């Protein structure tokens, strides 16, 4: 077995809006906790999670529509929607600056 090495498994997740499948690390996880819905940069917080890509249109659609409500099996309050909108700016800009190819993040 000296010549054959196993490739490391990379977990895949799907954006709840555009349905694109990417590596888990390339998507933003939103998590429902007893305290409300918040962004989970580590991807390891306990609670029901949903994934969004870095595309701002997906974030806008998720925050305005019911897709995030369905994915997290909860009803978002207007305060949570406003908090997610402010977190959207932090998550998408942070992820775009950490990418080796920023145009990759907008797809």
């Amino acid at each position: 077995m000296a010549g054959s090495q196993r490739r490391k498994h990379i977990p895949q997740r799907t954006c709840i809006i555009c349905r694109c499948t990417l590596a888990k690390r390339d998507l933003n996880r939103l998590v429902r906790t007893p305290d409300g819905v918040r962004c989970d940069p580590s991807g390891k917080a306990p609670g029901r999670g949903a994934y969004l890509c870095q595309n701002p249109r997906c974030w806008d659609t998720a925050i305005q529509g019911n897709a995030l409500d369905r994915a997290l099996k909860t009803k978002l309050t207007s305060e949570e929607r406003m908090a997610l909108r402010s977190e959207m700016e932090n998550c998408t800009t942070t992820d775009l600056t950490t990418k080796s190819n920023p145009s990759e993040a907008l797809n």
Side-chain angles (χ1 to χ4, degrees):
M1 295 188 74
S4 65
Q5 290 183 345
R6 293 185 66 160
R7 291 188 343 197
K8 186 174 179 177
H9 173 73
I10 299 173
Q12 300 287 304
R13 298 292 183 266
T14 303
C15 174
I16 63 170
I17 302 299
C18 66
R19 310 301 295 169
C20 68
T21 303
L22 297 170
K24 181 180 175 181
R25 294 180 142 212
D26 293 338
L27 293 170
N28 297 301
R29 182 174 187 250
L30 300 175
V31 64
R32 182 189 75 198
T33 64
D35 299 329
V37 177
R38 62 180 177 88
C39 195
D40 175 23
S42 70
K44 296 180 181 182
R48 184 167 188 87
Y51 291 87
L52 288 172
C53 64
Q54 287 84 13
N55 188 337
R57 288 179 297 213
C58 288
W59 279 80
D60 285 335
T61 304
I63 292 169
Q64 292 173 358
N66 293 326
L68 197 53
D69 292 353
R70 284 190 306 271
L72 296 175
K73 295 185 178 181
T74 188
K75 181 70 177 160
L76 291 175
T77 64
S78 58
E79 292 84 21
E80 288 174 325
R81 290 181 192 276
M82 289 174 58
L84 286 175
R85 188 164 300 283
S86 66
E87 285 191 35
M88 170 187 74
E89 295 165 3
N90 294 336
C91 287
T92 55
T93 55
T94 301
D95 288 338
L96 288 175
T97 56
T98 59
K99 296 267 183 219
S100 58
N101 183 0
S103 63
E104 219 176 62
L106 296 175
N107 292 334

